[in-house]
């Protein structure tokens, strides 16, 4: 279920206002650092390099990237953390257009002439130590540059992804890639590269109910370079021909999901690929792993309702031929519950618990209604319609999670669902 992002009609003005607020923040940021500065050195390997590090509170870290071959025109440096926003900058002094702040962040560092080393600065303004994962990857001189045709994000090149969410969906945003170029050569115009670059969106699920640091870092590492992404994750969708830069996915509370995008094009019968900086969602607005945050609270009423429905379904499955009225009540309850849950979730602003409880009431009342309708009319078409609806809904819901489905738009999914049910 995907749709395009609406671009701001005043991008320059919005960037200026954003720059003003960020500049004020960065002034406070600079004064808040304690002045301690550590450094680490990472040698660029064929598949990149990665390390874990604990960044102390109110401190900064210099990341030295060495042994960069001259055939490499740029390097992506990405930093990931579960808690606390960090700032990654190309220079010791942090400015709006040369830095990025967040939990899943990255920068494309260009190299010039015969440079084989580069430095980037990572800063922690939080009042506690923050464990981080640092990953560096090489960008081929003739491969795509992730976020090279940036139009909306603050940095000149934006290899990182952004996530927004509501109560039902997660929205993934990225910027178009551009063609790479040799060192010190002018970059290729985006108007030329846009028609040729295609995008694959990949997802990787973390273990359910596992909010541990080791699981988080392990899955992010899997999604940090092209070969590992293809080996460990699943392709959600492929897009070409000026694709939208915003995609939507169902939100899974209590379950971490890592998203990433691979940009690619064909040059001389060779596929050139580059990965963006992965981003993680736990299906909640804050890093709060309690029953009021990311962790799902299973109410007693919900457990009791599911238990009773299971017992009722077992009786209907094995003894329903002897109790037709019970079959009508059961399937009428299911149909009414499905319809009630969809409509109340779509058009009413209730919490998830209230929506589920209201759907239970609608299901019970609907089951009683269909039972009285059966006792009044005694027409078999009632039983056939209810059975067919439930079975068709089950089949269509299964198809949605197979490659046969193309739910690039919300209405397509419901058209498919209705077609299968009918």
């Amino acid at each position: 279920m995907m749709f395009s992002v609406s671009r701001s009609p005043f991008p320059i003005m919005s960037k200026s206002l954003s720059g003003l607020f960020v500049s004020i923040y960065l002034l406070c940021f600079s004064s808040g650092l304690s002045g301690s500065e550590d450094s680490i050195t990472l040698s660029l390997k064929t598949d990149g390099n990665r390390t874990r590090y604990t960044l102390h509170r109110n401190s900064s870290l210099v990341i030295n990237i060495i042994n960069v071959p001259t055939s490499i025109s740029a390097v992506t440096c990405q930093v990931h953390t579960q808690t606390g926003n960090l700032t990654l900058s190309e220079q010791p002094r942090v400015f709006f257009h040369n830095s990025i702040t967040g939990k899943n962040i990255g920068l494309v560092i260009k190299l010039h002439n015969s440079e084989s080393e580069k430095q980037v600065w990572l800063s922690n303004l939080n009042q506690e130590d923050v464990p981080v994962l640092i990953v560096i990857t090489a960008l081929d001189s003739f491969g795509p540059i992730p976020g090279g045709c940036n139009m909306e994000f603050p940095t000149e090149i934006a290899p990182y992804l952004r996530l927004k969410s509501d109560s039902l969906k997660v929205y993934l945003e990225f910027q178009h890639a551009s063609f790479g170029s040799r060192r010190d050569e002018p970059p290729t115009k985006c108007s030329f590269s846009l028609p040729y670059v295609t995008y694959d969106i990949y997802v990787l699920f973390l273990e359910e109910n596992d909010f541990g640091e080791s699981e988080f870092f392990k899955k992010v590492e899997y999604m940090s370079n092209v070969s590992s992404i293809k080996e460990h994750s699943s392709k959600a969708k492929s897009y070409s021909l000026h694709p939208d830069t915003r995609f939507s996915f169902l939100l899974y509370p209590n379950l971490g999901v890592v998203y990433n995008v691979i940009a690619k094009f064909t040059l001389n019968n060779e596929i050139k690929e580059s990965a963006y900086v992965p981003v993680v969602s736990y299906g909640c607005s804050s890093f709060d792993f309690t029953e009021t945050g990311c962790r799902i609270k299973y109410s007693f009423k919900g457990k009791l309702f599911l238990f009773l429905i299971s017992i009722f379904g077992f009786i209907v499955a094995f003894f329903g031929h002897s109790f037709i009225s019970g079959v009508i009540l059961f399937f009428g309850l299911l149909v009414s519950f499905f319809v009630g849950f969809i409509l109340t979730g779509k058009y009413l602003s209730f919490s998830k618990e209230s929506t589920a409880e209201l759907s239970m009431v609608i299901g019970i009342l609907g089951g009683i209604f269909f039972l009285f309708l059966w006792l009044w009319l005694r027409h078999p078409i009632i039983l056939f319609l209810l059975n067919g609806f439930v079975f068709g809904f089950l089949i269509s819901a299964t198809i949605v999670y197979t490659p046969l489905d193309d739910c690039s738009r919300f209405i397509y999914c419901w058209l498919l669902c209705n077609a299968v049910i009918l």
Side-chain angles (χ1 to χ4, degrees):
M1 294 174 285
M2 323 294 187
F3 49 88
S4 60
V5 64
S6 57
R7 298 184 182 272
S8 170
F10 306 107
I12 297 178
M13 183 180 296
S14 62
K15 281 194 174 185
S16 301
L17 291 175
S18 301
L20 176 62
F21 290 118
V22 173
S23 299
I24 296 173
Y25 165 77
L26 293 177
L27 287 174
C28 301
F29 178 88
S30 300
S31 61
L33 291 175
S34 63
S36 61
E37 185 176 88
D38 297 328
S39 66
I40 62 170
T41 301
L42 295 175
S43 177
L44 186 64
K45 302 176 182 178
T46 304
D47 61 342
N49 201 347
R50 58 192 60 83
T51 187
R52 299 184 188 181
Y53 186 86
T54 299
L55 188 59
H56 299 297
R57 64 187 184 94
N58 294 329
S59 66
S60 59
L61 174 71
V62 181
I63 305 172
N64 300 294
I65 304 171
I66 63 173
N67 298 331
V68 181
T70 55
S71 60
I72 301 300
S73 61
V75 175
T76 300
C77 179
Q78 49 182 281
V79 177
H80 304 275
T81 178
Q82 270 190 316
T83 58
N85 290 331
L86 303 177
T87 297
L88 186 66
S89 173
E90 296 182 53
Q91 299 175 3
R93 290 184 62 84
V94 178
F95 296 100
F96 176 60
H97 292 294
N98 74 345
S99 65
I100 180 66
T101 300
K103 295 183 177 68
N104 303 105
I105 54 179
L107 291 173
V108 171
I109 312 300
K110 294 182 178 180
L111 292 102
H112 305 282
N113 299 325
S114 59
E115 284 182 330
S116 62
E117 299 181 2
K118 271 292 185 181
Q119 288 183 324
V120 287
W121 284 261
L122 180 64
S123 305
N124 175 23
L125 193 62
N126 299 288
Q127 297 304 310
E128 65 274 344
D129 297 348
V130 177
V132 299
L133 170 67
I134 302 171
V135 181
I136 57 172
T137 54
L139 295 176
D140 193 314
S141 297
F142 298 101
I145 303 297
C149 291
N150 175 34
M151 294 290 290
E152 299 176 4
F153 294 179
T155 54
E156 179 184 358
I157 301 176
Y160 45 89
L161 308 174
R162 282 182 173 176
L163 282 181
K164 298 179 181 179
S165 62
D166 55 28
S167 60
L168 297 175
K169 294 181 182 180
V170 174
Y171 303 95
L172 176 69
E173 297 179 355
F174 71 99
Q175 295 298 291
H176 288 134
S178 63
F179 286 167
S181 58
R182 292 189 180 93
R183 296 189 182 190
D184 296 315
E185 287 186 353
T188 306
K189 292 183 178 180
C190 290
S191 58
F192 178 75
S193 60
L194 280 177
Y196 298 98
V197 182
T198 61
Y199 302 88
D200 294 335
I201 294 89
Y202 287 83
V203 296
L204 176 62
F205 292 95
L206 279 67
E207 293 295 328
E208 187 173 3
N209 209 30
D210 188 341
F211 304 107
E213 179 184 294
S214 59
E215 173 71 5
F216 172 85
F217 285 142
K218 181 178 74 172
K219 294 301 174 65
V220 170
E221 282 189 36
Y222 287 163
M223 298 289 281
S224 61
N225 64 73
V226 173
S227 59
S228 182
I229 291 172
K230 293 183 177 181
E231 179 181 356
H232 294 99
S233 65
S234 302
K235 183 191 294 187
K237 202 67 181 175
S238 295
Y239 285 91
S240 59
L241 299 177
H242 298 284
D244 299 332
T245 57
R246 192 186 201 197
F247 306 101
S248 63
F249 300 87
L250 289 177
L251 184 144
Y252 299 97
N254 202 38
L255 180 62
V257 186
V258 189
Y259 302 92
N260 207 348
V261 178
I262 293 180
K264 62 182 181 180
F265 65 88
T266 303
L267 178 66
N268 297 327
N269 295 323
E270 181 183 358
I271 298 177
K272 299 289 186 178
E273 298 176 307
S274 296
Y276 284 70
V277 177
V279 64
V280 182
S281 168
Y282 282 99
C284 51
S285 58
S286 62
F287 192 80
D288 179 11
F289 296 144
T290 64
E291 289 188 347
T292 59
C294 294
R295 196 177 299 276
I296 293 179
K297 180 180 179 180
Y298 296 98
S299 65
F300 173 76
K301 288 180 288 187
K303 294 179 181 178
L304 179 62
F305 180 77
L306 293 177
F307 175 75
L308 295 178
I309 286 294
S310 300
I311 297 299
F312 197 0
F314 178 84
I315 295 174
V316 168
F318 289 94
F319 307 103
H321 58 280
S322 301
F323 305 97
I324 300 299
S325 297
V327 175
I328 295 291
L329 178 64
F330 176 74
F331 283 103
L333 187 152
L334 287 183
V335 170
S336 302
F337 177 83
F338 289 154
V339 175
F341 185 81
I342 293 170
L343 295 180
T344 54
K346 178 69 174 177
Y347 297 107
L348 299 180
S349 301
F350 290 156
S351 65
K352 295 178 181 178
E353 293 77 12
S354 300
T355 300
E357 291 173 0
L358 180 58
S359 302
M360 294 178 197
V361 175
I362 294 174
I364 294 172
L365 294 178
I368 295 174
F369 168 78
F370 283 109
L371 176 60
F372 278 112
L373 191 64
W374 162 258
L375 294 175
W376 178 37
L377 298 177
R378 291 287 181 176
H379 201 292
I381 191 65
I382 300 175
L383 179 60
F384 294 151
L385 288 176
L386 292 176
N387 290 351
F389 181 93
V390 174
F391 183 69
F393 194 88
L394 174 63
I395 297 300
S396 62
T398 304
I399 295 176
V400 165
Y401 289 93
T402 67
L404 296 176
D405 177 43
D406 181 13
C407 278
S408 56
R409 302 203 176 190
F410 185 73
I411 192 171
Y412 293 163
C413 293
W414 286 110
L415 287 175
L416 171 67
C417 181
N418 293 331
V420 174
I421 291 174
L422 294 176

